[in-house]
Amino acid sequence: MRLHLEGNINTYYVQTLCMIFFPGSKFSKEAQEEEGAPALSLRLEEDTDACTAYAEMSADGKKELAVQRFAFTKDMTKERTRKLAAGGAVMKAGERLLGYRPSWGMMTGVRPSKHAMELLLKGKSAEETRQTLAKEFFAIPKKAALATEVALRERKMLENHTAKDCSLYVSIPFCPTRCAYCSFVSYTSQRLLSLIPEYLNALVEDVSQILEQIRTLGLHLKTIYIGGGTPTILEPDQLRLLLSTIAAHCDVASLEEYTLESGRPDTITAEKFKVAKEYGVERVSVNPQTLCDEVLHRIGRSHTTEQFLRAYHIARESGISCINTDLIAGLPGDTFGTFARSFDKIMELRPENVTVHTFCVKKAADILRQNEEVYSRQGGDAGKCVDYTQIRTAMAGYVPYYMYRQKNTVGNFENVGFSLPGYEGRYNVYMMEEFHSVFAAGAGAVTKAVEYTPDGSRAPQIARFFDHKYPFEYLRDRENQMKAKLDFIADYYQKRGLLD
Ligand code: SF4
């Protein structure tokens, strides 16, 4: 896509705005010179009172111009005001040119509910928050209402927040086979899967040391999340080793939540969930993605609907109190009809949590290499599917409790976690909204030390520590890395005076 900018505005921000209307666009030098490519020319002018943006967008031989003026106020930084003016002009020009109004307006970042939370913390009512999201950010009313509802629920979760709250994330980056749309680092080949025993020995050492650090510093461990990859790829004895190590170093009974991600139904057995329950796990995620076997085959999930149903019943029988199921709207080959049938069946099962993702194609995914036609401005049936889940869950007594967005989702739609009241997946909220520190163990894991100010008077103060991305690097450098991570955690808390 061709881009011409004048004025004080961040190029990357404008590129993300362009991607809303022209998904998959490139902004390389060659793309700038491409004859007939869509183009945006954006100019920002400022005086002492306000910032005015002029956007001219063209595609397919047509051209539209739009203007947006935004006054500088003491409630908002100049940078934010410029972004709102630029975003408003691009939204108007895009809508006129293409006849399409993006659901989330100019909200391109990961967390639309963050904007809602900021407004609520400034003292705006829920109604005022909804209206501001619609008027200033150009979100359509139902999305403004969704972001506000999620933010109100998140604010409730912050009621007992303390500066010493933290969570633990444990990474198992292995899967039995690779899904065609996956862009995570997850080992699937037999040669790499043979690393699991050695990896697990290093991991339990890492986990023990982090839990000891949490105890020594007097921090409050709220949730544990074992994710991946597919943690239930571990054999029952391996799972026992990991979970018993955790139980030996913390009081699992006092946790708010303890999750074992079990994503792939083809890895789930009654024995594994018996071990999980024995060591205090109270939340598992059993993910069908769709209950249409043809679509499952097409996206390279090596399990069937029947295997999912069997795994779900194993989870129910185990007595674990909270089951999450993940579904994806907008999968290649899925239609509104097949998606709605999948969703209805899930609603009949009545899991405590349902998470609906919008299909997202990242650069690394195999599905792009297969030249699938996956990018679509309006997202085909995905929007109808997403709407259906929001209406259907509300009718069944579920509430939306967390949400986030990713780049390159079909139609730019969101991912939403729904919950039966009282079963909200707390780790998801703490991690996504950066409400407290998350200490991470294992390859590819990112430790985030967070100082959060619940009244919103200061942005979260975040420092990150990255473990090595790949298991073989993690194994090679484990001692240095673990020591560096423990020092990082202690330093963060001591320097900020967050300890007694
Ligand atoms: S289960 Fe998840 S992490 Fe594993 S290959 Fe599939 S998408 Fe990737």
Side-chain angles (χ1 to χ4, degrees):
M1 180 164 181
R2 289 176 295 139
L3 201 56
H4 176 75
L5 301 181
E6 281 177 53
N8 192 354
I9 188 77
N10 177 291
T11 306
Y12 178 71
Y13 172 67
V14 180
Q15 288 176 350
T16 59
L17 292 173
C18 291
M19 302 270 275
I20 296 174
F21 291 103
F22 301 99
S25 285
K26 304 261 184 310
F27 300 92
S28 59
K29 194 164 174 288
E30 298 78 59
Q32 293 290 320
E33 286 160 8
E34 201 184 316
E35 194 70 13
L40 173 72
S41 175
L42 182 70
R43 190 174 88 246
L44 247 73
E45 287 178 4
E46 283 178 45
D47 54 34
T48 46
D49 300 331
C51 169
T52 308
Y54 301 85
E56 185 185 273
M57 195 183 275
S58 58
D60 301 327
K62 288 188 288 176
K63 193 184 282 182
E64 286 291 345
L65 176 72
V67 182
Q68 179 77 7
R69 183 178 163 83
F70 236 96
F72 290 123
T73 65
K74 59 178 183 334
D75 282 353
M76 206 185 285
T77 62
K78 285 202 163 184
E79 193 196 346
R80 169 68 69 88
T81 309
R82 287 182 196 114
K83 281 185 167 179
L84 287 175
V90 174
M91 289 301 111
K92 286 180 183 171
E95 188 176 347
R96 285 176 198 161
L97 184 72
L98 303 162
Y100 154 67
R101 177 149 187 213
S103 307
W104 286 100
M106 70 179 82
M107 282 189 257
T108 55
V110 173
R111 295 180 287 153
S113 53
K114 183 179 154 221
H115 296 295
M117 180 69 102
E118 275 175 18
L119 294 165
L120 292 169
L121 290 172
K122 277 185 186 160
K124 289 204 186 279
S125 67
E127 184 50 34
E128 288 166 338
T129 300
R130 281 190 283 272
Q131 282 181 12
T132 306
L133 294 180
K135 202 167 142 241
E136 292 184 1
F137 292 86
F138 289 71
I140 62 172
K142 66 184 169 192
K143 299 298 180 191
L146 174 65
T148 306
E149 188 179 354
V150 168
L152 285 166
R153 204 153 277 118
E154 287 175 346
R155 199 168 61 166
K156 244 192 140 13
M157 280 190 212
L158 276 174
E159 272 169 7
N160 300 317
H161 173 273
T162 77
K164 290 187 175 182
D165 294 351
C166 65
S167 289
L168 172 71
Y169 177 81
V170 182
S171 164
I172 310 282
F174 299 95
C175 288
T177 56
R178 193 165 183 83
C179 307
Y181 57 88
C182 181
S183 64
F184 297 108
V185 173
S186 188
Y187 279 13
T188 51
S189 77
Q190 273 317 310
R191 189 175 66 80
L192 296 169
L193 291 178
S194 68
L195 279 178
I196 289 179
E198 195 189 342
Y199 179 80
L200 192 60
N201 286 336
L203 185 68
V204 293
E205 188 55 34
D206 196 352
V207 166
S208 313
Q209 293 192 19
I210 291 177
L211 289 172
E212 278 309 305
Q213 180 78 305
I214 289 172
R215 198 178 56 76
T216 310
L217 296 177
L219 304 178
H220 311 149
L221 184 63
K222 295 289 180 183
T223 72
I224 298 179
Y225 193 101
I226 305 175
T230 307
T232 37
I233 197 169
L234 299 180
E235 294 301 331
D237 282 350
Q238 293 172 327
L239 206 50
R240 184 179 292 281
L241 171 63
L242 175 61
L243 300 182
S244 65
T245 302
I246 291 173
H249 289 88
C250 71
D251 177 16
V252 291
S254 69
L255 295 171
E256 287 179 357
E257 185 178 277
Y258 190 177
T259 300
L260 175 70
E261 174 83 42
S262 319
R264 290 277 291 268
D266 42 333
T267 61
I268 290 169
T269 66
E271 200 182 349
K272 291 180 190 178
F273 277 179
K274 187 164 174 273
V275 173
K277 176 75 183 166
E278 185 185 334
Y279 286 99
V281 169
E282 283 299 346
R283 184 172 183 270
V284 288
S285 201
V286 184
N287 301 333
Q289 311 303 9
T290 168
L291 295 182
C292 175
D293 282 342
E294 241 178 86
V295 179
L296 281 172
H297 180 71
R298 187 162 175 188
I299 60 170
R301 295 277 288 188
S302 62
H303 64 83
T304 60
T305 299
E306 201 189 316
Q307 274 176 307
F308 161 73
L309 292 171
R310 207 179 308 137
Y312 185 88
H313 288 298
I314 289 173
R316 219 12 121 216
E317 291 287 294
S318 72
I320 289 170
S321 56
C322 181
I323 304 176
N324 173 66
T325 58
D326 275 6
L327 286 127
I328 303 177
L331 282 169
D334 218 0
T335 61
F336 174 67
T338 49
F339 179 84
R341 273 196 293 283
S342 294
F343 203 74
D344 289 347
K345 270 194 227 163
I346 294 293
M347 288 287 97
E348 278 168 30
L349 295 172
R350 218 164 161 73
E352 285 71 23
N353 294 170
V354 183
T355 310
V356 180
H357 296 94
T358 302
F359 185 56
C360 169
V361 185
K362 295 206 181 141
K363 293 191 182 92
D366 289 349
I367 208 156
L368 270 189
R369 287 193 279 274
Q370 293 164 14
N371 291 322
E372 292 269 0
E373 245 328 299
V374 288
Y375 284 122
S376 149
R377 182 177 301 134
Q378 280 155 294
D381 274 356
K384 252 162 88 181
C385 297
V386 166
D387 284 351
Y388 185 74
T389 63
Q390 294 173 9
I391 295 164
R392 191 73 173 74
T393 47
M395 283 165 59
Y398 288 77
V399 291
Y401 72 93
Y402 103 114
M403 64 178 302
Y404 67 100
R405 295 173 69 217
Q406 286 162 288
K407 273 197 224 147
N408 299 330
T409 57
V410 287
N412 259 306
F413 295 111
E414 62 279 8
N415 304 324
V416 181
F418 301 95
S419 165
L420 289 173
Y423 287 94
E424 290 82 358
R426 301 184 81 92
Y427 170 85
N428 289 331
V429 176
Y430 295 149
M431 180 271 303
M432 184 56 65
E433 297 300 333
E434 295 163 334
F435 284 163
H436 66 221
S437 298
V438 176
F439 304 126
V446 181
T447 289
K448 266 200 230 177
V450 178
E451 186 186 353
Y452 184 81
T453 313
D455 66 6
S457 56
R458 198 162 66 128
Q461 305 293 298
I462 301 169
R464 292 176 174 81
F465 182 93
F466 294 86
D467 270 290
H468 288 301
K469 197 168 176 186
Y470 299 101
F472 67 86
E473 295 172 299
Y474 173 77
L475 290 172
R476 202 172 48 208
D477 194 27
R478 56 185 257 214
E479 277 175 21
N480 290 334
Q481 193 73 357
M482 281 181 211
K483 181 173 178 323
K485 182 159 58 181
L486 297 180
D487 289 348
F488 162 84
I489 296 170
D491 272 10
Y492 184 87
Y493 281 86
Q494 277 152 6
K495 282 189 182 144
R496 289 174 176 271
L498 297 174
L499 306 171
D500 297 332

